[in-house]
Amino acid sequence: MNADGDPVADQRAAEIRKGEARFRAEFGAYRQTIVKRDTEVKAVELERQFDELRPLQNEIVALARAQKDEQARALLPRIRARADSIDEKRSALVETKQELIGRAKADADATYDRVHQLLLVVVLGACALAAALGFALSRLTARPLQRTKTVLE
């Protein structure tokens, strides 16, 4: 934070707003995909912590604008600790989502394998049925022709 404070503080405030908007958009989209109750509880807690972080960020920016750099720096460890906690909770949510994706993939693979086996059985059964029908039809046709041949000779 420099002596005049304003340009740097303004830039940082803009970055914070941009980061918050991105978080809200991405996290809002993520919340629509949550299927487990305990994951929803974790997501609510993460959002609550994020909401609590914002006023502290605003306070640091205001102190920087007022050129109270030492006071602003004194708040940085608190904000870092909260940000680290948010990151840990976000990582836990990512792990849960990856676990669910892995399970869904395994379920889809198992379903695909079952359907593939079923189709193979159906195709082989249809081939066997076609061969049996072909043999039966040929016998039905061949017997009268054989008798006709015998009579004609």
Side-chain angles (χ1 to χ4, degrees):
M1 296 174 216
N2 61 8
D4 61 2
D6 284 351
V8 172
D10 290 344
Q11 180 182 5
R12 185 64 188 131
E15 290 171 2
I16 290 169
R17 284 190 301 275
K18 183 178 176 182
E20 179 181 20
R22 193 176 93 226
F23 171 81
R24 299 274 181 216
E26 291 174 2
F27 197 71
Y30 165 73
R31 295 257 332 247
Q32 299 298 315
T33 67
I34 294 175
V35 294
K36 293 174 63 178
R37 177 71 183 130
D38 62 324
T39 303
E40 177 65 29
V41 170
K42 290 176 185 177
V44 167
E45 175 61 19
L46 174 75
E47 196 165 24
R48 184 191 62 74
Q49 281 189 334
F50 186 84
D51 290 341
E52 290 174 356
L53 182 68
R54 190 68 165 91
L56 190 54
Q57 290 172 319
N58 290 341
E59 184 179 350
I60 290 173
V61 170
L63 287 169
R65 283 186 176 136
Q67 297 180 2
K68 296 180 180 179
D69 294 347
E70 290 305 314
Q71 289 174 315
R73 282 190 187 101
L75 291 176
L76 290 177
R78 281 181 47 204
I79 202 167
R80 184 73 257 158
R82 289 185 182 195
D84 288 345
S85 176
I86 289 169
D87 285 344
E88 287 172 12
K89 285 182 174 39
R90 184 196 52 79
S91 293
L93 289 174
V94 167
E95 287 175 18
T96 300
K97 187 165 187 156
Q98 288 174 337
E99 179 184 313
L100 288 173
I101 289 170
R103 285 188 206 159
K105 183 188 180 312
D107 289 347
D109 289 345
T111 300
Y112 173 81
D113 290 341
R114 284 193 304 271
V115 169
H116 185 262
Q117 290 172 353
L118 178 64
L119 285 174
L120 186 60
V121 168
V122 167
V123 167
L124 291 175
C127 288
L129 182 62
L133 282 173
F135 181 74
L137 285 174
S138 69
R139 299 242 331 144
L140 283 173
T141 312
R143 281 191 183 157
L145 288 176
Q146 192 67 20
R147 283 190 209 133
T148 306
K149 178 185 167 195
T150 307
V151 169
L152 290 175
E153 291 178 347

PDB file of all heavy atoms in Angstrom, residues 107-134:
ATOM      1  N   ASP A 107     -21.000 -46.333 -12.011  1.00  0.00           N
ATOM      2  CA  ASP A 107     -22.374 -46.798 -12.253  1.00  0.00           C
ATOM      3  C   ASP A 107     -22.694 -46.818 -13.745  1.00  0.00           C
ATOM      4  O   ASP A 107     -23.302 -47.767 -14.248  1.00  0.00           O
ATOM      5  CB  ASP A 107     -23.385 -45.909 -11.528  1.00  0.00           C
ATOM      6  CG  ASP A 107     -23.349 -46.084 -10.017  1.00  0.00           C
ATOM      7  OD1 ASP A 107     -22.723 -47.058  -9.544  1.00  0.00           O
ATOM      8  OD2 ASP A 107     -23.931 -45.237  -9.314  1.00  0.00           O
ATOM      9  N   ALA A 108     -22.281 -45.777 -14.450  1.00  0.00           N
ATOM     10  CA  ALA A 108     -22.536 -45.715 -15.896  1.00  0.00           C
ATOM     11  C   ALA A 108     -21.784 -46.821 -16.627  1.00  0.00           C
ATOM     12  O   ALA A 108     -22.330 -47.459 -17.541  1.00  0.00           O
ATOM     13  CB  ALA A 108     -22.130 -44.348 -16.446  1.00  0.00           C
ATOM     14  N   ASP A 109     -20.540 -47.065 -16.214  1.00  0.00           N
ATOM     15  CA  ASP A 109     -19.765 -48.144 -16.839  1.00  0.00           C
ATOM     16  C   ASP A 109     -20.418 -49.499 -16.595  1.00  0.00           C
ATOM     17  O   ASP A 109     -20.498 -50.334 -17.505  1.00  0.00           O
ATOM     18  CB  ASP A 109     -18.326 -48.153 -16.313  1.00  0.00           C
ATOM     19  CG  ASP A 109     -17.491 -46.987 -16.815  1.00  0.00           C
ATOM     20  OD1 ASP A 109     -17.921 -46.325 -17.795  1.00  0.00           O
ATOM     21  OD2 ASP A 109     -16.421 -46.742 -16.230  1.00  0.00           O
ATOM     22  N   ALA A 110     -20.891 -49.722 -15.363  1.00  0.00           N
ATOM     23  CA  ALA A 110     -21.551 -50.984 -15.043  1.00  0.00           C
ATOM     24  C   ALA A 110     -22.837 -51.151 -15.853  1.00  0.00           C
ATOM     25  O   ALA A 110     -23.122 -52.228 -16.382  1.00  0.00           O
ATOM     26  CB  ALA A 110     -21.853 -51.063 -13.544  1.00  0.00           C
ATOM     27  N   THR A 111     -23.603 -50.087 -15.979  1.00  0.00           N
ATOM     28  CA  THR A 111     -24.834 -50.135 -16.779  1.00  0.00           C
ATOM     29  C   THR A 111     -24.509 -50.415 -18.232  1.00  0.00           C
ATOM     30  O   THR A 111     -25.166 -51.232 -18.884  1.00  0.00           O
ATOM     31  CB  THR A 111     -25.605 -48.806 -16.645  1.00  0.00           C
ATOM     32  OG1 THR A 111     -25.928 -48.611 -15.267  1.00  0.00           O
ATOM     33  CG2 THR A 111     -26.870 -48.810 -17.473  1.00  0.00           C
ATOM     34  N   TYR A 112     -23.494 -49.755 -18.743  1.00  0.00           N
ATOM     35  CA  TYR A 112     -23.081 -49.979 -20.133  1.00  0.00           C
ATOM     36  C   TYR A 112     -22.692 -51.446 -20.341  1.00  0.00           C
ATOM     37  O   TYR A 112     -23.097 -52.065 -21.328  1.00  0.00           O
ATOM     38  CB  TYR A 112     -21.901 -49.067 -20.490  1.00  0.00           C
ATOM     39  CG  TYR A 112     -21.318 -49.370 -21.844  1.00  0.00           C
ATOM     40  CD1 TYR A 112     -21.906 -48.883 -22.995  1.00  0.00           C
ATOM     41  CD2 TYR A 112     -20.176 -50.173 -21.968  1.00  0.00           C
ATOM     42  CE1 TYR A 112     -21.385 -49.175 -24.244  1.00  0.00           C
ATOM     43  CE2 TYR A 112     -19.652 -50.466 -23.210  1.00  0.00           C
ATOM     44  CZ  TYR A 112     -20.253 -49.970 -24.342  1.00  0.00           C
ATOM     45  OH  TYR A 112     -19.743 -50.259 -25.561  1.00  0.00           O
ATOM     46  N   ASP A 113     -21.914 -51.987 -19.409  1.00  0.00           N
ATOM     47  CA  ASP A 113     -21.500 -53.384 -19.533  1.00  0.00           C
ATOM     48  C   ASP A 113     -22.699 -54.332 -19.508  1.00  0.00           C
ATOM     49  O   ASP A 113     -22.763 -55.284 -20.296  1.00  0.00           O
ATOM     50  CB  ASP A 113     -20.511 -53.750 -18.421  1.00  0.00           C
ATOM     51  CG  ASP A 113     -19.159 -53.085 -18.589  1.00  0.00           C
ATOM     52  OD1 ASP A 113     -18.845 -52.631 -19.715  1.00  0.00           O
ATOM     53  OD2 ASP A 113     -18.409 -53.010 -17.587  1.00  0.00           O
ATOM     54  N   ARG A 114     -23.661 -54.077 -18.614  1.00  0.00           N
ATOM     55  CA  ARG A 114     -24.854 -54.931 -18.546  1.00  0.00           C
ATOM     56  C   ARG A 114     -25.661 -54.852 -19.839  1.00  0.00           C
ATOM     57  O   ARG A 114     -26.112 -55.869 -20.369  1.00  0.00           O
ATOM     58  CB  ARG A 114     -25.719 -54.536 -17.349  1.00  0.00           C
ATOM     59  CG  ARG A 114     -25.188 -55.016 -16.030  1.00  0.00           C
ATOM     60  CD  ARG A 114     -26.211 -54.880 -14.903  1.00  0.00           C
ATOM     61  NE  ARG A 114     -26.707 -53.528 -14.737  1.00  0.00           N
ATOM     62  CZ  ARG A 114     -26.156 -52.602 -13.957  1.00  0.00           C
ATOM     63  NH1 ARG A 114     -25.060 -52.879 -13.281  1.00  0.00           N
ATOM     64  NH2 ARG A 114     -26.694 -51.403 -13.852  1.00  0.00           N
ATOM     65  N   VAL A 115     -25.841 -53.645 -20.343  1.00  0.00           N
ATOM     66  CA  VAL A 115     -26.604 -53.470 -21.588  1.00  0.00           C
ATOM     67  C   VAL A 115     -25.868 -54.118 -22.752  1.00  0.00           C
ATOM     68  O   VAL A 115     -26.485 -54.766 -23.606  1.00  0.00           O
ATOM     69  CB  VAL A 115     -26.880 -51.969 -21.854  1.00  0.00           C
ATOM     70  CG1 VAL A 115     -27.414 -51.739 -23.252  1.00  0.00           C
ATOM     71  CG2 VAL A 115     -27.840 -51.417 -20.813  1.00  0.00           C
ATOM     72  N   HIS A 116     -24.558 -53.975 -22.772  1.00  0.00           N
ATOM     73  CA  HIS A 116     -23.755 -54.592 -23.833  1.00  0.00           C
ATOM     74  C   HIS A 116     -23.911 -56.106 -23.800  1.00  0.00           C
ATOM     75  O   HIS A 116     -24.100 -56.752 -24.850  1.00  0.00           O
ATOM     76  CB  HIS A 116     -22.283 -54.193 -23.655  1.00  0.00           C
ATOM     77  CG  HIS A 116     -21.401 -54.672 -24.748  1.00  0.00           C
ATOM     78  ND1 HIS A 116     -20.641 -55.803 -24.631  1.00  0.00           N
ATOM     79  CD2 HIS A 116     -21.169 -54.182 -25.996  1.00  0.00           C
ATOM     80  CE1 HIS A 116     -19.972 -55.997 -25.758  1.00  0.00           C
ATOM     81  NE2 HIS A 116     -20.273 -55.018 -26.597  1.00  0.00           N
ATOM     82  N   GLN A 117     -23.844 -56.698 -22.627  1.00  0.00           N
ATOM     83  CA  GLN A 117     -24.012 -58.146 -22.496  1.00  0.00           C
ATOM     84  C   GLN A 117     -25.420 -58.570 -22.897  1.00  0.00           C
ATOM     85  O   GLN A 117     -25.598 -59.584 -23.579  1.00  0.00           O
ATOM     86  CB  GLN A 117     -23.713 -58.594 -21.062  1.00  0.00           C
ATOM     87  CG  GLN A 117     -22.250 -58.490 -20.702  1.00  0.00           C
ATOM     88  CD  GLN A 117     -21.992 -58.751 -19.229  1.00  0.00           C
ATOM     89  OE1 GLN A 117     -22.915 -58.884 -18.434  1.00  0.00           O
ATOM     90  NE2 GLN A 117     -20.714 -58.804 -18.858  1.00  0.00           N
ATOM     91  N   LEU A 118     -26.405 -57.797 -22.486  1.00  0.00           N
ATOM     92  CA  LEU A 118     -27.786 -58.110 -22.843  1.00  0.00           C
ATOM     93  C   LEU A 118     -27.978 -58.060 -24.355  1.00  0.00           C
ATOM     94  O   LEU A 118     -28.595 -58.952 -24.942  1.00  0.00           O
ATOM     95  CB  LEU A 118     -28.752 -57.140 -22.157  1.00  0.00           C
ATOM     96  CG  LEU A 118     -30.237 -57.319 -22.483  1.00  0.00           C
ATOM     97  CD1 LEU A 118     -30.723 -58.681 -21.994  1.00  0.00           C
ATOM     98  CD2 LEU A 118     -31.047 -56.198 -21.888  1.00  0.00           C
ATOM     99  N   LEU A 119     -27.448 -57.044 -24.999  1.00  0.00           N
ATOM    100  CA  LEU A 119     -27.563 -56.945 -26.452  1.00  0.00           C
ATOM    101  C   LEU A 119     -26.862 -58.111 -27.142  1.00  0.00           C
ATOM    102  O   LEU A 119     -27.371 -58.648 -28.136  1.00  0.00           O
ATOM    103  CB  LEU A 119     -26.984 -55.618 -26.951  1.00  0.00           C
ATOM    104  CG  LEU A 119     -27.850 -54.391 -26.700  1.00  0.00           C
ATOM    105  CD1 LEU A 119     -27.101 -53.135 -27.111  1.00  0.00           C
ATOM    106  CD2 LEU A 119     -29.159 -54.488 -27.451  1.00  0.00           C
ATOM    107  N   LEU A 120     -25.720 -58.514 -26.617  1.00  0.00           N
ATOM    108  CA  LEU A 120     -25.004 -59.655 -27.184  1.00  0.00           C
ATOM    109  C   LEU A 120     -25.845 -60.923 -27.078  1.00  0.00           C
ATOM    110  O   LEU A 120     -25.960 -61.684 -28.049  1.00  0.00           O
ATOM    111  CB  LEU A 120     -23.660 -59.833 -26.464  1.00  0.00           C
ATOM    112  CG  LEU A 120     -22.727 -60.891 -27.018  1.00  0.00           C
ATOM    113  CD1 LEU A 120     -22.376 -60.581 -28.468  1.00  0.00           C
ATOM    114  CD2 LEU A 120     -21.464 -60.969 -26.177  1.00  0.00           C
ATOM    115  N   VAL A 121     -26.467 -61.139 -25.935  1.00  0.00           N
ATOM    116  CA  VAL A 121     -27.337 -62.307 -25.750  1.00  0.00           C
ATOM    117  C   VAL A 121     -28.534 -62.233 -26.699  1.00  0.00           C
ATOM    118  O   VAL A 121     -28.901 -63.230 -27.325  1.00  0.00           O
ATOM    119  CB  VAL A 121     -27.794 -62.414 -24.277  1.00  0.00           C
ATOM    120  CG1 VAL A 121     -28.912 -63.420 -24.103  1.00  0.00           C
ATOM    121  CG2 VAL A 121     -26.611 -62.765 -23.387  1.00  0.00           C
ATOM    122  N   VAL A 122     -29.124 -61.039 -26.819  1.00  0.00           N
ATOM    123  CA  VAL A 122     -30.278 -60.880 -27.716  1.00  0.00           C
ATOM    124  C   VAL A 122     -29.876 -61.155 -29.163  1.00  0.00           C
ATOM    125  O   VAL A 122     -30.582 -61.866 -29.896  1.00  0.00           O
ATOM    126  CB  VAL A 122     -30.895 -59.466 -27.564  1.00  0.00           C
ATOM    127  CG1 VAL A 122     -31.880 -59.164 -28.678  1.00  0.00           C
ATOM    128  CG2 VAL A 122     -31.567 -59.333 -26.204  1.00  0.00           C
ATOM    129  N   VAL A 123     -28.736 -60.636 -29.598  1.00  0.00           N
ATOM    130  CA  VAL A 123     -28.276 -60.854 -30.974  1.00  0.00           C
ATOM    131  C   VAL A 123     -27.979 -62.331 -31.206  1.00  0.00           C
ATOM    132  O   VAL A 123     -28.388 -62.906 -32.235  1.00  0.00           O
ATOM    133  CB  VAL A 123     -27.044 -59.972 -31.284  1.00  0.00           C
ATOM    134  CG1 VAL A 123     -26.363 -60.406 -32.572  1.00  0.00           C
ATOM    135  CG2 VAL A 123     -27.463 -58.514 -31.372  1.00  0.00           C
ATOM    136  N   LEU A 124     -27.286 -62.965 -30.277  1.00  0.00           N
ATOM    137  CA  LEU A 124     -26.996 -64.397 -30.423  1.00  0.00           C
ATOM    138  C   LEU A 124     -28.286 -65.218 -30.404  1.00  0.00           C
ATOM    139  O   LEU A 124     -28.436 -66.178 -31.180  1.00  0.00           O
ATOM    140  CB  LEU A 124     -26.041 -64.866 -29.333  1.00  0.00           C
ATOM    141  CG  LEU A 124     -24.607 -64.333 -29.436  1.00  0.00           C
ATOM    142  CD1 LEU A 124     -23.783 -64.780 -28.231  1.00  0.00           C
ATOM    143  CD2 LEU A 124     -23.955 -64.772 -30.733  1.00  0.00           C
ATOM    144  N   GLY A 125     -29.216 -64.841 -29.550  1.00  0.00           N
ATOM    145  CA  GLY A 125     -30.512 -65.526 -29.519  1.00  0.00           C
ATOM    146  C   GLY A 125     -31.265 -65.344 -30.824  1.00  0.00           C
ATOM    147  O   GLY A 125     -31.865 -66.299 -31.352  1.00  0.00           O
ATOM    148  N   ALA A 126     -31.237 -64.135 -31.368  1.00  0.00           N
ATOM    149  CA  ALA A 126     -31.911 -63.878 -32.644  1.00  0.00           C
ATOM    150  C   ALA A 126     -31.262 -64.678 -33.770  1.00  0.00           C
ATOM    151  O   ALA A 126     -31.963 -65.221 -34.638  1.00  0.00           O
ATOM    152  CB  ALA A 126     -31.869 -62.381 -32.963  1.00  0.00           C
ATOM    153  N   CYS A 127     -29.932 -64.785 -33.753  1.00  0.00           N
ATOM    154  CA  CYS A 127     -29.238 -65.596 -34.768  1.00  0.00           C
ATOM    155  C   CYS A 127     -29.618 -67.065 -34.638  1.00  0.00           C
ATOM    156  O   CYS A 127     -29.875 -67.748 -35.653  1.00  0.00           O
ATOM    157  CB  CYS A 127     -27.723 -65.430 -34.636  1.00  0.00           C
ATOM    158  SG  CYS A 127     -27.133 -63.820 -35.180  1.00  0.00           S
ATOM    159  N   ALA A 128     -29.661 -67.582 -33.417  1.00  0.00           N
ATOM    160  CA  ALA A 128     -30.042 -68.981 -33.200  1.00  0.00           C
ATOM    161  C   ALA A 128     -31.481 -69.214 -33.638  1.00  0.00           C
ATOM    162  O   ALA A 128     -31.796 -70.229 -34.284  1.00  0.00           O
ATOM    163  CB  ALA A 128     -29.857 -69.355 -31.731  1.00  0.00           C
ATOM    164  N   LEU A 129     -32.366 -68.278 -33.314  1.00  0.00           N
ATOM    165  CA  LEU A 129     -33.769 -68.397 -33.721  1.00  0.00           C
ATOM    166  C   LEU A 129     -33.899 -68.343 -35.240  1.00  0.00           C
ATOM    167  O   LEU A 129     -34.646 -69.131 -35.840  1.00  0.00           O
ATOM    168  CB  LEU A 129     -34.599 -67.284 -33.069  1.00  0.00           C
ATOM    169  CG  LEU A 129     -36.096 -67.298 -33.360  1.00  0.00           C
ATOM    170  CD1 LEU A 129     -36.730 -68.587 -32.843  1.00  0.00           C
ATOM    171  CD2 LEU A 129     -36.755 -66.091 -32.729  1.00  0.00           C
ATOM    172  N   ALA A 130     -33.161 -67.454 -35.864  1.00  0.00           N
ATOM    173  CA  ALA A 130     -33.193 -67.359 -37.329  1.00  0.00           C
ATOM    174  C   ALA A 130     -32.683 -68.645 -37.962  1.00  0.00           C
ATOM    175  O   ALA A 130     -33.255 -69.143 -38.947  1.00  0.00           O
ATOM    176  CB  ALA A 130     -32.366 -66.165 -37.797  1.00  0.00           C
ATOM    177  N   ALA A 131     -31.628 -69.227 -37.414  1.00  0.00           N
ATOM    178  CA  ALA A 131     -31.096 -70.483 -37.940  1.00  0.00           C
ATOM    179  C   ALA A 131     -32.105 -71.613 -37.765  1.00  0.00           C
ATOM    180  O   ALA A 131     -32.331 -72.419 -38.691  1.00  0.00           O
ATOM    181  CB  ALA A 131     -29.782 -70.832 -37.250  1.00  0.00           C
ATOM    182  N   ALA A 132     -32.744 -71.664 -36.600  1.00  0.00           N
ATOM    183  CA  ALA A 132     -33.747 -72.711 -36.349  1.00  0.00           C
ATOM    184  C   ALA A 132     -34.944 -72.552 -37.277  1.00  0.00           C
ATOM    185  O   ALA A 132     -35.446 -73.529 -37.842  1.00  0.00           O
ATOM    186  CB  ALA A 132     -34.195 -72.667 -34.885  1.00  0.00           C
ATOM    187  N   LEU A 133     -35.406 -71.297 -37.468  1.00  0.00           N
ATOM    188  CA  LEU A 133     -36.523 -71.055 -38.385  1.00  0.00           C
ATOM    189  C   LEU A 133     -36.132 -71.395 -39.824  1.00  0.00           C
ATOM    190  O   LEU A 133     -36.937 -71.983 -40.576  1.00  0.00           O
ATOM    191  CB  LEU A 133     -36.982 -69.601 -38.293  1.00  0.00           C
ATOM    192  CG  LEU A 133     -37.848 -69.255 -37.082  1.00  0.00           C
ATOM    193  CD1 LEU A 133     -38.097 -67.746 -37.021  1.00  0.00           C
ATOM    194  CD2 LEU A 133     -39.159 -69.997 -37.113  1.00  0.00           C
ATOM    195  N   GLY A 134     -34.933 -71.043 -40.186  1.00  0.00           N
ATOM    196  CA  GLY A 134     -34.445 -71.373 -41.534  1.00  0.00           C
ATOM    197  C   GLY A 134     -34.399 -72.869 -41.754  1.00  0.00           C
ATOM    198  O   GLY A 134     -34.814 -73.368 -42.810  1.00  0.00           O
TER     199      GLY A 134
END
